[in-house]
Amino acid sequence: MRSGKQPKILFGTQPSTAPPTFILFTSGKLDAAYERYVERRLREEFGFAGTPLVLQQRPREKLGRHERRLGSRTRRRRPVWGRAGRLR
């Protein structure tokens, strides 16, 4: 748990089929028991009985208040020209 909230699976993808590999994009690190649950459900739903499954997690990085506020303003600013054509 992160600050009292359970991490969530945001989405998942299957990049490889031999062996079946799934990448789960999550809001935080999933508990081992929940990861086993997800693996079991994948086996039941898609018939992966007896096949080794590879589950990888990619937790989303939390941005601090400063990084969120800046957003796209982190790029380099243009020079400001004065009235006489000089760089200020």
Side-chain angles (χ1 to χ4, degrees):
M1 281 190 170
R2 183 183 177 111
S3 63
K5 293 185 179 181
Q6 183 73 23
K8 294 182 170 92
I9 297 174
L10 304 172
F11 65 96
T13 185
Q14 183 182 5
S16 176
T17 58
T21 304
F22 294 91
I23 298 177
L24 303 175
F25 293 85
T26 62
S27 61
K29 181 83 169 103
L30 297 178
D31 188 40
Y34 189 63
E35 189 174 351
R36 286 192 304 271
Y37 165 76
V38 170
E39 182 177 347
R40 189 177 69 237
R41 292 291 296 152
L42 285 170
R43 287 184 188 282
E44 291 172 359
E45 191 70 29
F46 299 110
F48 288 120
T51 306
L53 289 182
V54 178
L55 286 180
Q56 297 175 353
Q57 292 184 42
R58 300 252 176 102
R60 179 176 60 188
E61 293 182 13
K62 289 286 189 179
L63 296 178
R65 192 173 81 177
H66 183 68
E67 289 90 359
R68 266 187 305 208
R69 195 179 73 215
L70 284 178
S72 63
R73 292 187 292 156
T74 57
R75 65 177 188 260
R76 196 169 155 214
R77 299 181 74 178
R78 294 181 308 171
V80 179
W81 296 91
R83 281 193 209 182
R86 295 187 195 150
L87 186 62
R88 281 198 260 178

